[in-house]
């Protein structure tokens, strides 16, 4: 049973590394009791979260019907970027662009468990050729 009050508007945030969406999070309860769960690109919940918006893996959060379209658009938008988080909303079965950011949480939000900070950081591939 889901005991969280849900305000209904979910924010879908795709973490893209070198033009490829690796995982996404769903923010929920933003205006009441803000939490965020992380998912792989198939919509399966992942065993980590952020300290600031603690995950609630037992919360009944619906995966958006436009997930594949969101992934495709996030990857298109992030082409040519080492890292970019691309955000969407889904309202009435339609996808809407939210924002894109190079520095989510100004780069200061910590993942939990701590080991995930290093694992996620390892997904980043920076260009090595400098002119």
């Amino acid at each position: 049973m889901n005991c969280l009050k849900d305000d209904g508007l979910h924010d879908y945030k795709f973490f893209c590394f070198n033009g490829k969406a690796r995982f996404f999070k769903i923010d929920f309860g933003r205006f009441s009791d803000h939490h965020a769960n992380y998912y792989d690109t198939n919509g399966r919940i992942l065993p980590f979260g952020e300290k600031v918006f603690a995950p609630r893996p037992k919360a009944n959060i619906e995966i958006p019907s436009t997930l594949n379209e969101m992934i495709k658009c996030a990857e298109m938008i992030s082409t040519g970027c080492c890292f970019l988080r691309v955000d969407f909303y889904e309202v009435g079965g339609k996808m809407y662009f939210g924002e894109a950011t190079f520095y989510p949480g100004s780069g200061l939000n910590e993942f939990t468990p701590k080991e995930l900070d290093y694992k996620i950081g390892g997904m980043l591939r920076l260009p090595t050729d400098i002119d």
Side-chain angles (χ1 to χ4, degrees), residues 9-14 16 66 69-70 72-78 84-91 94-102:
L9 183 62
H10 300 156
D11 200 355
Y12 306 99
K13 301 172 182 259
F14 292 81
C16 300
T66 57
E69 185 179 359
M70 288 180 183
K72 182 179 175 183
C73 289
E75 290 180 346
M76 193 176 348
I77 292 167
S78 67
L84 188 67
R85 194 194 73 204
V86 184
D87 303 357
F88 300 97
Y89 297 96
E90 183 181 81
V91 179
K94 292 184 180 183
M95 180 186 82
Y96 294 90
F97 175 76
E99 68 172 324
T101 182
F102 296 107

Side-chain angles (χ1 to χ4, degrees), residues 1-5 26-29 33-39 45-62 112:
M1 179 176 184
N2 181 6
C3 297
L4 293 174
K5 182 179 186 301
I26 301 176
D27 280 292
F28 56 97
D33 189 19
H34 193 170
H35 295 279
N37 288 342
Y38 280 77
Y39 300 85
I45 195 152
L46 294 170
F48 67 90
E50 293 172 82
K51 282 186 176 183
V52 68
F53 306 119
R56 295 291 184 256
K58 293 186 180 186
N60 186 20
I61 305 300
E62 193 170 318
T112 182

